[in-house]
Structure formats: structure tokens, C-alpha cells
Amino acid sequence: MSDTSSPSLQQRIRSLRQQIETHDQLYYRQNQPEVSDTEYDRLKREYATLLEQSGENPQLDPLLQRVGDDRSRGFETWVHREPMGSLENSYSKQEILQFFQRLEKRLSRGELVYVVQPKIDGLAISLTYEKGRFVRAVTRGNGTEGDDVTRNVTRIDGLPKMLEGGSVPDLLEIRGEVFISREEFARINAERREKGLTLYANPRNLAAGTLKLLDASIVAQRKLELRVYGLGACEPAQWKSLSAFTSQLKDWGCFTVEFTQSVSGIDAVWDAIETFAERKLELGYETDGVVIKLDDLDLQREAGSTAKAPRWAIAYKFAAERAITRLHRIDLQVGRTGAVTPVANLEPVLLAGTTVSRATLHNADEIARKDIREGDWVEVEKAGEIIPQVVGVLLERREQGSQPYAFPSECPACGGPLARLADEVVLRCQNAACPPQVSRRVEHFVSKHCLDIDSFGTAVVEQLMRADRLHTLDEIYRLDRDFLLGLERFGEKSADNLIQAIEASKQQPLWRLIHGLGILHVGAAASKALARAFGSLHQLANATLEQLQEVEGIGAIIADSICDFFADADNRALIDRLQELGLNTEENTSTDGAATRKLEGKTVVLTGTLPDFSRDAFTALIEQHGGKVASSVSKKTDLVVAGESAGSKLTKALELGIEVLDQQGLLDRLEV
């Protein structure tokens, strides 16, 4: 029997919890997954097993029961009338058979009829029609409510604006998937390659990112596509089976999922899976498996759902493509925050249609757990164009005398000490002057999400690093035109444009500067909260731990990180130099010095689509006038600004008697 109090057991549970939370953030919020679904599911299964060993019930653990949350700041949220759960995954015929047996037992029925459909590797969407007219598109979100992306979805060719013919319900939610075809993905990446821009990793990430853009003109330039396959809320109910509903969707002119089959019994379902596996490349888009759903809609309702997934459906995930090759050496990469990531340098091998020579090893703990050594023959996996990863070692081919890999205690780039922060799995270089850290910090500082210095991309950063002209962030503001003209690919116009963009960035709002400093765990939302709370970079730098934790959204970990950052003498000196160079270090100065404080202390909620402003731009305007923008309506809300297609937030505001204005009403109040 395992020792439930074993420090090693509890340490592994904490490590797995952090890894799963990190991967959730990367997949659902940042659209930058680093592991395949198979590896992610393996982590969750190991986590559940260890929880049981420690005496805890995995079914009560929120991390295992929640639906991944894709909601993003800047979008109105909308509650699904019928929840959008995720799907349980399976990887073998036996697991599908067990699913059938559980369902037949629950329903007290014999062999049931199932619909088998390709599982598109895109972003789930719910389309709402009222009396046949399209009114709204909402992402899955957290399963209960998602982001309203109607404006972007209307740019998709093939989206029916009206459902005509047959009997159209008063209210109908149609479930589907938004994606980008392989051809369009290749076209977009070819254009970026010509411009020297970073390439997108895979179609799924690009589709998800595109759907969440606030600039609809960019969305229109990318050919998003849509396939529909499922039924959400329907009032009044009209169909008895999913297959009958799918037939109606086709009659309405909707683009439905190809290769849909209705079958019964494990053998017939498995034949359908194998047939599709052989033909999946005939589709012009990425699929990562099939979905098996109970056809009878009444039986679906009877089967019900768990907190996370329907009991009447399951996904079968195709095995990730794997290959065997030699691991020559383990390289270490250093990121912006000093995180040291191990990478396998491999004998090149053909995998999933591309030649792979490098693969992620995640962290020191994973290398030790899998006992991966330099010189080993390893199995490499690549799924859905996710970064290749080493999944295991062929121990029978290990050479005699092979030694376990010893993760260094010093940074491979600068020789500085490596340390692991509490409850983290990564090791970090402690030397802030480490060249790779400097390079990544500069890229972060000049990015669109921080100081937004146009034309200051990765290629420029690399040129300046090679020229030994970037050591600290303030040196960005010491660049001059003559020096830039001496660099490759810089002409007079491009040099002038960059100098002008650098100069203009000095007037950016304080929160952008705070975000740009790259304080560990401090993102854009926290930066805005800090700027509002302290009013100046000087006040923030001198804030106590207690004062920091009084700010909404700032917990103990973030507060500790902020205190550590400003306790560093080099960081203090950097801030002094940035201020001397003319950067805005005060809230409501420079960019918004003329703003009134008419919203001082007011909490404002935005709902619906504003006619003349993006959500971010209007949020910035409110913040310039002293207000705070919240995502949901409560008794603490002072004002709601309602645009076109305002939703449940407007309803709740009226119920609570909260003042409601339209866009122009608020502009008039602010005398803008």
C-alpha cells in the first residue's frame, strides 16, 4: 500500500497539477499547445490515479471536472441555453466497448444506434437562430457561457443567415466547428515567410486565434470555414434523432460534417472508424479522430451528462504518429523569464509528413521520469502539428555504459545559477543579463501587447543583439537613425519609421510599461489593475506586500513576484533610466492627460457590439477617465454601456436598476 503522506507522492501530484493548469492555459487561452492530446490525457490520468492513492476522490477534483475555458478579454459573454460540455476521450476499441456497455446499462437497453462523425481539429461554436434568422455565434467558453464572436463568424462564407424550408423552430442552437483548411493555412504561412515573420504552428491554433481577433478586417482576409454537426437548445423540440436533424441541416444549405454514418454495434462502429482513418486525407482540413454519439435524442437526454461531458458521446482519438530515431544530445533553451527548457537534438526522421530533428523534453522532471539519456534510441511523437515530443526510450537498444542525464545547475548561456521557485517544475536562470533572456525581454517589451513598437520584430532584435547594442530595455530608446542605416535591410524609410515608433511609445499608458517590464506572473490585466491602484511606477515600486494584495486580482504569488522585482537594484536603476528618457511612468498623463475623472471609482460593464469602437479601445477610454471595466454585472456595478445585440448582462442590469447608457450617451457624459 502506498504511503499517502509520502513527500514524493505529494510532490508529483503538485507537479502534475501545475503542468495540467499550464497546458490548459496554453491550449484554451493562448492557442499555443505544447503537447499532444494523448500526452495531456496521460498526465490527467496519472494525476487521477495518484489522487486516489493519496485518499482523495478524483471525481471531486475541480481540475479534472472542469471544461477548458476559451473565453478572452474584450468579448461579450453569452450563456448557452444548452451547456456545451467537452468529450471523454478514448484510444482503443476496448475503451469504446466499455463506453457502450456503460450506456446500455444506464438506459437498460440492448444494442443502440450511433452516429459516427469526423472530429474536426478546430474551435467549437454554437450558432443561435431565432425564427430562422441567425442572431448569434458563441464559443464553448467554460461550457456554461462563451465569447460572443458573431461579428467574426458572419465573415465566414457558407454561414446561412436564414433557415428556410421545412419547419423552423422558434429558437435553435446549432453546434459546429470553425477551422482553417490546410490550403489556406499554407497560403498564410507562405506570406509570413516572405515577410520574415514567425510562422503559425498549426491550423487549429490559427483558426482559434483568428476567431478571437478584435479587428474584423483581418478576420475577413483569412478564409475561416464552418461545419455543423450537433443540436443544442431547440424550442419547440422537433427531431427524434441526430441523423434526422443532420438531414434537415443539409436541406437548409448548411455545410455539415462529411463521412457521417449511422451504425450499431461495436464492430460496425469500429469499421466506420477504420474506413474514415483511411480516407481522412480526402478532407481539406485537419481531423484528429472521430466522435461517436447516440443517435436517439430522447435517449441522449435520458443518459444526461457529468459536470464535464455528455454520457451519450465519446471521442476516439487517432494515435499520434510516431517514429524511432537517435537522440544525439540535449540542448537547453533560455526564455524571457529565465526558464530553461530542454530540447532533444535528433537524427532527422520523417514524421507526419515533415522531417523532424528537434523535439521538446518539457523539463528536468520529465527527463528523469522517462530516464532519457544522450545517445538513446527514442520514440518521437507528433500529433496535429503540435511540437514533436520524446515519449519514451528503447531501453533494449541503450548502449552499455550510458549515463543518466544530469541537468546542469548553471545556465548554459551565461553560467549563472539555476534555481527552482516554489511549486514550479521549471528551473530558471537567475542572471537578468543573460543574453537569451535579454533578447526575449526586448521582444516582449516592444510587442503589440506591451509598448507596441511597430516594425520592431524578432529579426531586428537579433540584428541589434549581434551588434552588441541591446543589453537593457532603456537602450531601445538610445538607438539613432545613423546606426540603424548601418544594419542590413534598413533603408532611410524603415529607419525613420522605427525611430518614430520608438519615440511614440514613450507616451503609451502606464499599464503597458508595467506589462512590458516582464515581471514574472504579471500580465496585461494585472498591469492595468496595478496602474489604477498606485497611479505611478514610483508608487508601485515602493508598495508593500500587504498593499499589493489589497489590489483586486493580485494574490500572494503575484505580490511576491512584484516585490522581488523592485527589490532588485538593477531593476530600480532601469526604471530611473526609462523615466529620464521620457517614458510615461504616471497614470493618466501624456496619452490621457486631458481626460476628466468623471468615472472615478465607477465600475462599468460593456455589453453588445459598439458601433465605433473596439472593446479594447472603449475599455481604454473608460480607464482614462478613472473607471474600471468589469466582465459581469453585479450589485457593485455602477454603469452598463449597451451596444447592438446586448445580451443577458443588459437584462440583469435592468433587473437590478443599474444605469444603462449607449455608446454616445457615455461619450456625451465624458464630453468626448
Side-chain angles (χ1 to χ4, degrees):
M1 182 180 229
S2 213
D3 180 2
T4 59
S5 63
S6 165
S8 59
L9 176 64
Q10 293 302 323
Q11 183 178 5
R12 180 62 181 162
I13 288 174
R14 287 195 298 271
S15 173
L16 287 168
R17 183 182 294 118
Q18 189 205 27
Q19 289 182 65
I20 293 167
E21 288 178 340
T22 297
H23 291 313
D24 282 348
Q25 180 76 9
L26 288 169
Y27 184 88
Y28 293 107
R29 293 295 181 89
Q30 300 180 28
N31 300 309
Q32 296 176 343
E34 292 182 347
V35 298
S36 67
D37 288 352
T38 306
E39 177 66 10
Y40 175 76
D41 285 342
R42 186 199 65 74
L43 292 173
K44 295 189 84 168
R45 290 181 181 186
E46 182 186 355
Y47 178 66
T49 299
L50 295 184
L51 284 178
E52 282 187 319
Q53 291 178 11
S54 70
E56 297 184 42
N57 185 351
Q59 295 187 5
L60 299 179
D61 187 272
L63 187 61
L64 294 175
Q65 299 306 315
R66 72 187 181 198
V67 174
D69 193 348
D70 66 30
R71 292 174 298 173
S72 304
R73 191 178 186 279
F75 287 88
E76 166 81 2
T77 58
W78 197 274
V79 176
H80 301 297
R81 287 181 171 84
E82 187 76 24
M84 286 185 75
S86 59
L87 289 171
E88 178 187 348
N89 288 335
S90 63
Y91 295 92
S92 69
K93 185 176 181 179
Q94 180 62 28
E95 289 180 338
I96 295 174
L97 178 59
Q98 291 169 354
F99 162 73
F100 286 176
Q101 291 170 342
R102 289 195 303 270
L103 196 54
E104 289 167 4
K105 181 178 180 181
R106 172 174 286 274
L107 297 174
S108 300
R109 301 291 180 98
E111 199 167 80
L112 298 165
V113 178
Y114 296 91
V115 172
V116 181
Q117 299 173 322
K119 186 177 184 298
I120 302 173
D121 197 12
L123 190 74
I125 200 80
S126 181
L127 310 173
T128 300
Y129 288 81
E130 294 178 358
K131 297 188 182 301
R133 184 175 66 88
F134 171 69
V135 295
R136 191 174 306 106
V138 181
T139 66
R140 174 184 284 129
N142 64 0
T144 301
E145 65 176 14
D147 286 341
D148 186 332
V149 289
T150 306
R151 183 174 57 171
N152 289 344
V153 168
T154 55
R155 303 297 182 110
I156 299 176
D157 289 339
L159 172 75
K161 303 299 193 301
M162 284 293 298
L163 304 178
E164 297 177 323
S167 180
V168 179
D170 293 337
L171 171 73
L172 178 65
E173 287 181 334
I174 302 175
R175 301 291 162 76
E177 201 88 4
V178 173
F179 62 92
I180 281 180
S181 69
R182 296 191 191 99
E183 181 179 357
E184 178 68 0
F185 177 70
R187 181 192 70 79
I188 293 171
N189 263 350
E191 289 183 354
R192 293 180 69 83
R193 187 179 292 108
E194 288 179 4
K195 296 176 182 178
L197 301 174
T198 303
L199 302 186
Y200 293 112
N202 58 65
R204 191 268 169 197
N205 295 1
L206 178 56
T210 300
L211 196 61
K212 291 300 189 73
L213 289 173
L214 295 173
D215 188 343
S217 64
I218 299 177
V219 178
Q221 296 169 17
R222 301 174 183 173
K223 298 176 182 177
L224 289 173
E225 296 187 41
L226 172 71
R227 295 290 185 276
V228 294
Y229 50 70
L231 175 64
C234 180
E235 300 171 5
Q238 291 189 199
W239 295 277
K240 291 295 185 182
S241 68
L242 181 58
S243 53
F245 176 62
T246 301
S247 178
Q248 180 64 68
L249 288 173
K250 291 178 181 177
D251 291 343
W252 281 329
C254 299
F255 290 156
T256 56
V257 177
E258 298 90 335
F259 299 132
T260 296
Q261 296 185 52
S262 295
V263 293
S264 60
I266 183 63
D267 291 334
V269 168
W270 192 252
D271 285 344
I273 290 172
E274 291 185 327
T275 299
F276 175 67
E278 294 172 358
R279 300 182 61 187
K280 65 177 183 176
L281 293 180
E282 296 176 22
L283 298 175
Y285 50 83
E286 294 294 334
T287 59
D288 56 358
V290 299
V291 180
I292 304 153
K293 306 174 185 176
L294 193 58
D295 191 28
D296 189 300
L297 296 177
D298 288 334
L299 292 181
Q300 284 186 11
R301 286 186 281 272
E302 185 179 338
S305 302
T306 67
K308 180 180 178 182
R311 293 190 179 95
W312 45 264
I314 193 169
Y316 173 78
K317 304 300 287 288
F318 293 135
E321 294 196 37
R322 293 186 175 186
I324 294 172
T325 189
R326 190 81 177 264
L327 191 160
H328 290 305
R329 69 176 185 274
I330 295 175
D331 295 332
L332 300 173
Q333 297 179 338
V334 184
R336 171 176 64 86
T337 61
V340 177
T341 305
V343 177
N345 196 299
L346 307 166
E347 181 72 25
V349 62
L350 189 64
L351 181 61
T354 59
T355 299
V356 171
S357 59
R358 292 168 71 79
T360 182
L361 294 168
H362 302 301
N363 53 61
D365 287 353
E366 283 298 286
I367 292 176
R369 186 180 68 82
K370 296 174 181 175
D371 190 20
I372 298 170
R373 306 180 184 186
E374 292 182 324
D376 275 344
W377 286 89
V378 295
E379 193 170 23
V380 184
E381 175 182 281
K382 191 166 187 277
E385 299 194 45
I386 299 299
I387 301 168
Q389 60 178 325
V390 174
V391 295
V393 176
L394 278 66
L395 294 176
E396 67 275 11
R397 299 181 67 174
R398 175 171 285 169
E399 294 182 353
Q400 191 172 2
S402 171
Q403 296 296 314
Y405 179 75
F407 210 92
S409 58
E410 296 179 345
C411 175
C414 70
L418 299 183
R420 186 186 306 225
L421 302 182
D423 293 327
E424 284 198 341
V425 295
V426 298
L427 287 161
R428 298 183 188 275
C429 172
Q430 303 301 292
N431 174 22
C434 178
Q437 288 191 61
V438 173
S439 178
R440 301 290 88 79
R441 271 203 303 275
V442 172
E443 289 176 8
H444 174 73
F445 186 85
V446 303
S447 71
K448 183 177 180 63
H449 304 292
C450 298
L451 275 293
D452 193 15
I453 304 180
D454 193 33
S455 303
F456 208 137
T458 301
V460 174
V461 175
E462 290 176 351
Q463 281 184 289
L464 294 171
M465 291 294 293
R466 286 196 298 270
D468 199 30
R469 281 298 298 265
L470 278 182
H471 306 90
T472 55
L473 296 175
D474 59 294
E475 291 185 337
I476 294 169
Y477 296 93
R478 303 184 196 279
L479 295 172
D480 58 64
R481 183 177 187 271
D482 291 340
F483 175 77
L484 292 177
L485 288 173
L487 297 177
E488 185 181 354
R489 296 173 66 181
F490 265 97
E492 292 188 1
K493 184 176 181 180
S494 56
D496 287 340
N497 287 343
L498 183 55
I499 292 297
Q500 290 170 12
I502 291 172
E503 186 64 26
S505 74
K506 294 180 180 180
Q507 306 308 315
Q508 290 283 18
L510 173 60
W511 75 264
R512 287 185 173 273
L513 177 57
I514 296 171
H515 189 204
L517 292 174
I519 305 170
L520 188 62
H521 305 308
V522 177
S527 298
K528 290 182 178 182
L530 293 167
R532 286 194 299 266
F534 294 101
S536 74
L537 198 55
H538 175 75
Q539 293 292 336
L540 173 61
N542 290 291
T544 65
L545 192 66
E546 292 74 20
Q547 289 172 328
L548 289 166
Q549 291 187 71
E550 289 175 0
V551 179
E552 184 177 354
I554 306 299
I557 293 175
I558 298 178
D560 280 335
S561 182
I562 295 169
C563 286
D564 289 345
F565 181 87
F566 289 113
D568 186 287
D570 289 337
N571 291 334
R572 288 277 191 165
L574 168 65
I575 290 164
D576 289 342
R577 295 195 300 272
L578 290 173
Q579 191 164 15
E580 289 170 3
L581 287 163
L583 272 77
N584 171 38
T585 60
E586 302 283 334
E587 178 77 336
N588 301 311
T589 63
S590 299
T591 57
D592 49 25
T596 69
R597 304 298 294 175
K598 292 188 175 181
L599 296 177
E600 188 73 52
K602 302 289 186 182
T603 297
V604 183
V605 172
L606 306 180
T607 180
T609 302
L610 302 175
D612 303 312
F613 289 82
S614 70
R615 187 63 62 95
D616 274 358
F618 212 69
T619 296
L621 177 68
I622 291 167
E623 290 172 346
Q624 288 169 15
H625 289 265
K628 170 190 169 185
V629 176
S631 60
S632 59
V633 175
S634 71
K635 292 180 179 179
K636 296 180 180 179
T637 304
D638 298 295
L639 176 67
V640 169
V641 179
E644 184 181 350
S645 300
S648 57
K649 294 179 184 178
L650 174 59
T651 302
K652 187 171 183 179
L654 295 173
E655 290 174 352
L656 294 175
I658 295 169
E659 182 181 10
V660 177
L661 295 174
D662 61 8
Q663 172 192 292
Q664 191 56 50
L666 184 62
L667 294 178
D668 291 343
R669 177 170 298 184
L670 299 178
E671 300 178 350
V672 174

